[in-house]
Coordinates of all heavy atoms in Angstrom, one line a residue:
M1 N 74.4 99.6 101.5 CA 75.8 99.3 102.0 C 76.1 97.8 101.8 O 75.2 97.0 102.1 CB 75.9 99.7 103.4 CG 77.4 99.6 103.9 SD 77.8 100.5 105.4 CE 77.2 102.1 105.2
K2 N 77.3 97.5 101.4 CA 77.7 96.1 101.2 C 78.8 95.7 102.2 O 79.7 96.5 102.4 CB 78.2 96.0 99.7 CG 78.6 94.6 99.4 CD 79.0 94.6 97.9 CE 79.2 93.2 97.5 NZ 79.2 93.0 96.0
T3 N 78.7 94.5 102.7 CA 79.7 94.0 103.7 C 80.5 92.9 103.0 O 79.9 92.0 102.3 CB 79.0 93.4 104.9 OG1 78.3 94.5 105.6 CG2 80.1 92.9 105.9
V4 N 81.8 93.0 103.1 CA 82.7 92.1 102.4 C 83.7 91.6 103.4 O 84.3 92.4 104.2 CB 83.4 92.7 101.2 CG1 84.4 91.8 100.6 CG2 82.4 93.3 100.2
K5 N 84.0 90.3 103.4 CA 85.0 89.7 104.3 C 86.2 89.3 103.4 O 86.0 88.8 102.3 CB 84.5 88.5 105.0 CG 83.7 88.7 106.2 CD 83.4 87.5 107.0 CE 82.6 87.8 108.2 NZ 82.3 86.6 109.0
F6 N 87.4 89.5 104.0 CA 88.6 89.1 103.4 C 89.3 88.1 104.3 O 89.4 88.5 105.5 CB 89.5 90.3 103.1 CG 89.0 91.3 102.2 CD1 88.2 92.4 102.6 CD2 89.3 91.2 100.8 CE1 87.7 93.3 101.7 CE2 88.8 92.2 99.9 CZ 88.0 93.2 100.4
K7 N 89.7 87.0 103.8 CA 90.5 86.1 104.6 C 91.9 86.4 104.3 O 92.4 86.4 103.2 CB 90.1 84.6 104.2 CG 90.9 83.6 104.9 CD 90.3 83.4 106.3 CE 90.9 82.2 107.0 NZ 90.4 82.0 108.3
V8 N 92.7 86.7 105.4 CA 94.1 87.1 105.3 C 94.9 86.0 106.0 O 95.1 86.1 107.2 CB 94.3 88.5 105.9 CG1 95.7 88.9 105.6 CG2 93.3 89.5 105.3
S9 N 95.4 85.1 105.2 CA 96.0 83.9 105.8 C 97.4 84.3 106.4 O 97.9 83.5 107.1 CB 96.2 82.8 104.7 OG 96.9 83.3 103.6
T10 N 97.9 85.5 106.1 CA 99.2 85.9 106.7 C 99.0 86.9 107.8 O 99.9 87.5 108.2 CB 100.1 86.5 105.6 OG1 99.4 87.5 104.9 CG2 100.6 85.4 104.7
L11 N 97.8 87.0 108.4 CA 97.5 87.9 109.5 C 97.6 87.1 110.8 O 96.9 86.2 111.1 CB 96.0 88.4 109.4 CG 95.5 89.2 110.5 CD1 96.3 90.5 110.8 CD2 94.0 89.6 110.2
H12 N 98.7 87.4 111.6 CA 99.0 86.6 112.7 C 99.1 87.2 114.1 O 99.1 86.5 115.1 CB 100.4 85.9 112.5 CG 100.5 85.1 111.3 ND1 99.8 83.9 111.1 CD2 101.2 85.2 110.1 CE1 100.0 83.4 109.9 NE2 100.9 84.2 109.3
N13 N 99.0 88.6 114.2 CA 99.2 89.2 115.5 C 98.5 90.6 115.5 O 98.0 91.1 114.5 CB 100.7 89.3 115.9 CG 101.5 90.0 114.9 OD1 101.1 91.1 114.4 ND2 102.6 89.5 114.5
E14 N 98.5 91.1 116.7 CA 97.9 92.4 117.0 C 98.6 93.6 116.2 O 97.9 94.5 115.8 CB 97.8 92.8 118.4 CG 96.8 91.9 119.2 CD 96.8 92.3 120.7 OE1 97.2 93.4 121.1 OE2 96.3 91.4 121.5
F15 N 99.9 93.5 116.0 CA 100.6 94.5 115.3 C 100.1 94.5 113.8 O 99.8 95.6 113.3 CB 102.1 94.3 115.3 CG 102.9 95.2 114.4 CD1 103.1 96.5 114.8 CD2 103.3 94.8 113.2 CE1 103.8 97.4 114.0 CE2 104.0 95.7 112.3 CZ 104.2 97.0 112.8
M16 N 99.9 93.4 113.2 CA 99.4 93.3 111.9 C 97.9 93.8 111.8 O 97.6 94.5 110.9 CB 99.4 91.9 111.3 CG 100.8 91.4 111.1 SD 100.8 89.6 110.6 CE 102.5 89.4 110.1
E17 N 97.2 93.5 112.8 CA 95.8 94.0 112.9 C 95.8 95.5 112.9 O 95.0 96.1 112.1 CB 95.1 93.6 114.2 CG 94.6 92.2 114.3 CD 93.9 91.9 115.6 OE1 93.6 92.8 116.4 OE2 93.6 90.7 115.9
K18 N 96.6 96.1 113.7 CA 96.7 97.6 113.8 C 97.2 98.2 112.4 O 96.6 99.2 112.0 CB 97.7 98.0 114.9 CG 97.7 99.5 115.1 CD 98.6 99.9 116.3 CE 98.7 101.4 116.4 NZ 99.6 101.8 117.3
T19 N 98.2 97.6 111.8 CA 98.7 98.1 110.6 C 97.6 98.1 109.5 O 97.4 99.0 108.8 CB 99.9 97.2 110.1 OG1 100.9 97.3 111.1 CG2 100.5 97.7 108.8
I20 N 96.9 97.0 109.4 CA 95.8 96.8 108.4 C 94.7 97.8 108.7 O 94.2 98.5 107.8 CB 95.3 95.4 108.3 CG1 96.3 94.5 107.7 CG2 94.0 95.3 107.5 CD1 96.0 93.0 107.8
L21 N 94.3 98.0 109.9 CA 93.3 98.9 110.3 C 93.7 100.3 109.9 O 92.8 101.1 109.3 CB 93.0 98.8 111.8 CG 91.9 99.7 112.3 CD1 90.5 99.3 111.7 CD2 91.8 99.5 113.8
E22 N 94.9 100.7 110.2 CA 95.3 102.1 109.8 C 95.3 102.3 108.3 O 94.9 103.4 107.8 CB 96.7 102.3 110.4 CG 96.8 102.5 111.9 CD 98.2 102.6 112.4 OE1 99.2 102.5 111.7 OE2 98.3 102.8 113.7
K23 N 95.7 101.3 107.5 CA 95.8 101.4 106.1 C 94.3 101.6 105.5 O 94.1 102.4 104.7 CB 96.5 100.3 105.4 CG 98.0 100.3 105.6 CD 98.6 99.1 105.0 CE 100.1 99.1 105.2 NZ 100.8 100.1 104.4
L24 N 93.4 100.8 106.1 CA 92.0 100.8 105.6 C 91.3 102.0 106.0 O 90.4 102.5 105.2 CB 91.3 99.5 106.0 CG 91.8 98.2 105.5 CD1 90.9 97.1 106.0 CD2 91.8 98.2 103.9
Q25 N 91.6 102.6 107.1 CA 91.0 103.8 107.5 C 91.3 105.0 106.6 O 90.6 106.0 106.6 CB 91.3 104.2 109.0 CG 90.7 103.3 110.0 CD 91.1 103.5 111.4 OE1 92.2 103.9 111.6 NE2 90.3 103.2 112.4
S26 N 92.4 104.9 105.9 CA 92.8 106.0 105.0 C 92.1 106.0 103.7 O 92.1 106.9 102.9 CB 94.3 105.9 104.7 OG 94.6 104.8 103.9
L27 N 91.3 104.9 103.4 CA 90.5 104.8 102.2 C 89.2 105.4 102.3 O 88.5 105.4 103.3 CB 90.3 103.3 101.8 CG 91.6 102.5 101.4 CD1 91.2 101.0 101.2 CD2 92.2 103.0 100.2
D28 N 88.8 106.1 101.2 CA 87.4 106.7 101.1 C 86.4 105.6 100.9 O 86.7 104.5 100.4 CB 87.3 107.7 100.0 CG 88.2 108.9 100.2 OD1 88.4 109.2 101.4 OD2 88.5 109.5 99.2
D29 N 85.2 105.8 101.4 CA 84.1 104.8 101.2 C 84.2 103.5 101.9 O 83.6 102.5 101.6 CB 83.9 104.6 99.7 CG 83.5 105.8 99.0 OD1 82.9 106.7 99.5 OD2 84.0 106.0 97.8
V30 N 85.1 103.4 102.9 CA 85.3 102.2 103.7 C 84.8 102.5 105.1 O 85.3 103.4 105.7 CB 86.7 101.6 103.7 CG1 86.8 100.4 104.6 CG2 87.2 101.3 102.3
F31 N 83.8 101.7 105.6 CA 83.2 101.9 106.9 C 83.2 100.6 107.7 O 83.4 99.5 107.1 CB 81.8 102.4 106.7 CG 81.6 103.6 105.8 CD1 81.3 103.3 104.5 CD2 81.9 104.8 106.2 CE1 81.1 104.4 103.6 CE2 81.7 105.9 105.3 CZ 81.4 105.7 104.0
D32 N 83.0 100.7 109.0 CA 82.8 99.6 109.9 C 83.9 98.5 109.6 O 83.6 97.4 109.2 CB 81.5 98.9 109.7 CG 80.3 99.9 110.0 OD1 80.5 100.7 110.9 OD2 79.3 99.9 109.3
I33 N 85.1 98.9 109.8 CA 86.3 98.0 109.6 C 86.5 97.2 110.8 O 86.5 97.6 112.0 CB 87.6 98.8 109.3 CG1 87.3 99.8 108.2 CG2 88.7 97.9 109.1 CD1 88.4 100.9 108.1
S34 N 86.7 95.9 110.6 CA 86.9 94.9 111.7 C 88.1 94.0 111.2 O 88.1 93.5 110.1 CB 85.7 94.1 111.9 OG 86.0 93.0 112.8
V35 N 89.1 93.9 112.1 CA 90.3 93.1 111.8 C 90.5 92.1 113.0 O 90.5 92.6 114.1 CB 91.6 94.0 111.6 CG1 92.8 93.1 111.3 CG2 91.3 95.1 110.6
N36 N 90.6 90.8 112.7 CA 90.7 89.8 113.7 C 91.8 88.8 113.4 O 91.6 88.0 112.4 CB 89.3 89.1 113.9 CG 89.3 88.2 115.0 OD1 90.3 87.6 115.4 ND2 88.2 88.1 115.6
S37 N 92.9 88.9 114.1 CA 94.0 87.9 113.8 C 93.7 86.5 114.2 O 94.2 85.6 113.6 CB 95.3 88.4 114.4 OG 95.2 88.5 115.8
A38 N 92.8 86.3 115.2 CA 92.4 85.0 115.6 C 91.7 84.2 114.5 O 92.0 83.0 114.3 CB 91.6 85.0 116.9
T39 N 90.9 84.9 113.8 CA 90.1 84.2 112.7 C 90.8 84.5 111.3 O 90.3 84.0 110.3 CB 88.7 84.7 112.6 OG1 88.6 86.1 112.4 CG2 87.9 84.3 113.9
Q40 N 91.8 85.4 111.3 CA 92.4 85.9 110.1 C 91.5 86.5 109.1 O 91.5 86.3 107.9 CB 93.2 84.7 109.4 CG 94.3 84.2 110.3 CD 95.1 83.1 109.6 OE1 94.6 82.2 109.0 NE2 96.4 83.2 109.7
E41 N 90.5 87.3 109.7 CA 89.5 88.0 108.8 C 89.6 89.5 108.9 O 89.8 90.0 110.0 CB 88.1 87.5 109.2 CG 87.9 86.1 108.8 CD 86.5 85.6 109.1 OE1 85.8 86.2 110.0 OE2 86.0 84.6 108.5
V42 N 89.3 90.1 107.8 CA 89.1 91.6 107.7 C 87.7 91.7 107.2 O 87.4 91.2 106.1 CB 90.2 92.2 106.9 CG1 89.9 93.7 106.7 CG2 91.6 92.0 107.4
T43 N 86.9 92.5 107.8 CA 85.5 92.8 107.4 C 85.4 94.3 107.2 O 85.7 95.0 108.1 CB 84.5 92.2 108.4 OG1 84.7 90.9 108.6 CG2 83.1 92.4 107.8
I44 N 84.8 94.7 106.0 CA 84.5 96.1 105.8 C 83.1 96.2 105.3 O 82.5 95.3 104.8 CB 85.5 96.7 104.7 CG1 85.3 96.0 103.4 CG2 86.9 96.6 105.2 CD1 85.8 96.8 102.2
S45 N 82.6 97.4 105.4 CA 81.3 97.8 104.8 C 81.7 99.0 103.9 O 82.5 99.8 104.2 CB 80.3 98.2 105.8 OG 79.9 97.1 106.6
T46 N 81.0 99.0 102.7 CA 81.2 100.0 101.7 C 79.9 100.4 101.0 O 79.1 99.5 100.8 CB 82.3 99.7 100.7 OG1 82.6 100.7 99.8 CG2 82.0 98.4 100.0
L47 N 79.8 101.6 100.5 CA 78.7 102.0 99.7 C 78.9 101.6 98.2 O 78.0 101.5 97.5 CB 78.4 103.5 99.8 CG 78.0 104.0 101.2 CD1 77.9 105.5 101.2 CD2 76.6 103.4 101.6
H48 N 80.2 101.5 97.9 CA 80.5 101.3 96.5 C 81.3 100.0 96.3 O 82.4 99.9 96.8 CB 81.3 102.5 95.9 CG 80.7 103.8 96.2 ND1 79.6 104.2 95.4 CD2 80.9 104.8 97.1 CE1 79.2 105.4 95.9 NE2 80.0 105.8 96.9
P49 N 80.7 99.0 95.7 CA 81.4 97.7 95.5 C 82.8 97.8 94.9 O 83.6 97.0 95.2 CB 80.4 96.9 94.7 CG 79.1 97.5 94.9 CD 79.3 98.9 95.2
S50 N 83.0 98.8 94.0 CA 84.3 98.9 93.4 C 85.4 99.2 94.4 O 86.6 98.9 94.1 CB 84.3 100.0 92.3 OG 84.0 101.2 92.9
T51 N 85.0 99.7 95.5 CA 86.0 100.0 96.6 C 86.7 98.7 97.1 O 87.8 98.7 97.5 CB 85.3 100.7 97.8 OG1 84.7 101.9 97.3 CG2 86.2 101.0 98.9
C52 N 86.0 97.6 97.0 CA 86.5 96.3 97.4 C 87.8 95.9 96.7 O 88.7 95.4 97.3 CB 85.5 95.2 97.3 SG 84.0 95.5 98.3
E53 N 87.8 96.2 95.4 CA 89.1 95.9 94.7 C 90.2 96.8 95.2 O 91.4 96.3 95.3 CB 88.8 96.2 93.2 CG 87.9 95.2 92.5 CD 88.4 93.8 92.7 OE1 89.6 93.4 92.6 OE2 87.5 92.9 93.1
G54 N 90.0 98.0 95.6 CA 91.0 98.8 96.2 C 91.5 98.3 97.5 O 92.7 98.3 97.8
V55 N 90.6 97.8 98.3 CA 91.0 97.1 99.6 C 91.8 95.9 99.3 O 92.9 95.7 99.9 CB 89.7 96.8 100.4 CG1 90.1 95.9 101.6 CG2 89.0 98.1 100.9
Y56 N 91.4 95.1 98.4 CA 92.1 93.9 98.1 C 93.5 94.2 97.6 O 94.5 93.6 98.1 CB 91.3 93.1 97.0 CG 91.9 91.8 96.6 CD1 91.6 90.6 97.3 CD2 92.8 91.7 95.5 CE1 92.1 89.4 96.9 CE2 93.3 90.5 95.1 CZ 93.0 89.4 95.8 OH 93.5 88.2 95.5
C57 N 93.6 95.2 96.7 CA 94.9 95.5 96.2 C 95.8 96.1 97.3 O 97.0 95.8 97.3 CB 94.8 96.5 95.0 SG 94.0 95.8 93.6
L58 N 95.2 97.0 98.1 CA 96.0 97.6 99.2 C 96.6 96.5 100.1 O 97.8 96.5 100.5 CB 95.1 98.5 100.0 CG 95.8 99.1 101.2 CD1 96.5 100.4 100.8 CD2 94.9 99.3 102.4
L59 N 95.8 95.5 100.5 CA 96.3 94.4 101.3 C 97.3 93.6 100.6 O 98.4 93.3 101.2 CB 95.1 93.5 101.8 CG 94.1 94.2 102.7 CD1 92.9 93.3 103.0 CD2 94.7 94.6 104.0
E60 N 97.1 93.2 99.4 CA 98.1 92.5 98.6 C 99.4 93.2 98.5 O 100.5 92.7 98.6 CB 97.5 92.1 97.2 CG 96.5 91.0 97.3 CD 97.0 89.7 97.0 OE1 97.7 89.5 96.0 OE2 96.7 88.7 97.8
D61 N 99.3 94.5 98.1 CA 100.5 95.4 98.0 C 101.3 95.5 99.3 O 102.5 95.8 99.3 CB 100.1 96.8 97.4 CG 99.7 96.7 96.0 OD1 99.9 95.7 95.3 OD2 99.1 97.7 95.5
S62 N 100.6 95.3 100.4 CA 101.2 95.4 101.7 C 101.9 94.1 102.1 O 102.5 94.0 103.2 CB 100.2 95.8 102.8 OG 99.7 97.1 102.5
G63 N 101.8 93.1 101.2 CA 102.5 91.8 101.5 C 101.6 90.7 102.1 O 102.1 89.7 102.5
Y64 N 100.3 91.0 102.2 CA 99.4 90.0 102.8 C 98.8 89.1 101.7 O 98.6 89.5 100.6 CB 98.3 90.6 103.6 CG 98.8 91.4 104.8 CD1 98.9 92.8 104.7 CD2 99.1 90.8 106.0 CE1 99.4 93.5 105.8 CE2 99.5 91.5 107.0 CZ 99.7 92.9 106.9 OH 100.1 93.6 108.0
T65 N 98.5 87.8 102.1 CA 97.9 86.9 101.2 C 96.4 87.0 101.5 O 95.9 86.7 102.6 CB 98.4 85.5 101.4 OG1 99.8 85.5 101.2 CG2 97.7 84.5 100.4
V66 N 95.6 87.4 100.5 CA 94.2 87.8 100.7 C 93.3 86.9 99.8 O 93.5 86.7 98.6 CB 94.0 89.3 100.4 CG1 92.5 89.7 100.7 CG2 95.0 90.1 101.1
H67 N 92.1 86.5 100.4 CA 91.1 85.8 99.7 C 89.8 86.5 100.0 O 89.5 86.7 101.2 CB 91.0 84.3 100.1 CG 92.3 83.7 100.0 ND1 92.9 83.2 98.8 CD2 93.2 83.5 101.0 CE1 94.1 82.7 99.1 NE2 94.3 82.8 100.4
R68 N 89.0 86.9 99.0 CA 87.8 87.7 99.3 C 86.6 86.7 99.3 O 86.4 85.9 98.4 CB 87.6 88.8 98.3 CG 86.4 89.6 98.6 CD 86.3 90.8 97.6 NE 85.9 90.4 96.3 CZ 85.8 91.2 95.3 NH1 86.2 92.4 95.4 NH2 85.4 90.7 94.2
S69 N 85.6 86.9 100.2 CA 84.4 86.2 100.2 C 83.3 87.2 100.6 O 83.4 87.8 101.7 CB 84.4 85.0 101.1 OG 84.6 85.4 102.5
E70 N 82.3 87.4 99.8 CA 81.2 88.4 100.1 C 80.2 87.7 101.1 O 80.0 86.6 101.0 CB 80.5 88.8 98.8 CG 81.4 89.5 97.9 CD 80.7 89.9 96.6 OE1 79.5 90.0 96.6 OE2 81.5 90.3 95.7
T71 N 79.7 88.6 101.9 CA 78.7 88.1 102.9 C 77.3 88.7 102.5 O 77.3 89.8 101.9 CB 79.1 88.6 104.3 OG1 79.2 90.0 104.3 CG2 80.3 87.9 104.8
P72 N 76.3 88.0 102.8 CA 75.0 88.5 102.4 C 74.6 89.8 103.2 O 75.1 90.1 104.2 CB 74.0 87.4 102.9 CG 74.8 86.5 103.7 CD 76.2 86.8 103.5

């Protein structure tokens, strides 16, 4: 399993947290989702690294500014 963090510079409140969480829960192969508006971070775990591109695109298509950084 791979853990990936996304920095979402336009994530500002709990409503946005909930919206992102709901969108990510609809994706296959995405587990252990964490959304934190205080740190502006979204963290996911996935079995398939290619899923990360889908997450990135989903967030961007939803109007968020996203930067990806992989964690060890």
Side-chain angles (χ1 to χ4, degrees):
M1 189 166 304
K2 181 175 186 164
T3 300
V4 180
K5 278 190 181 181
F6 296 89
K7 181 77 171 176
V8 184
S9 57
T10 51
L11 174 58
H12 300 297
N13 57 47
E14 289 181 20
F15 174 76
M16 291 177 172
E17 282 182 13
K18 184 178 177 186
T19 301
I20 289 172
L21 185 61
E22 288 174 356
K23 288 181 181 287
L24 294 181
Q25 287 174 333
S26 70
L27 295 176
D28 292 335
D29 300 324
V30 175
F31 308 97
D32 301 324
I33 304 164
S34 171
V35 183
N36 187 327
S37 61
T39 61
Q40 296 183 317
E41 289 181 339
V42 175
T43 305
I44 65 158
S45 293
T46 182
L47 293 174
H48 307 286
S50 62
T51 301
C52 298
E53 290 306 315
V55 170
Y56 183 87
C57 292
L58 177 90
L59 293 173
E60 287 263 311
D61 289 348
S62 297
Y64 296 98
T65 303
V66 184
H67 310 279
R68 184 173 76 185
S69 62
E70 296 182 16
T71 57

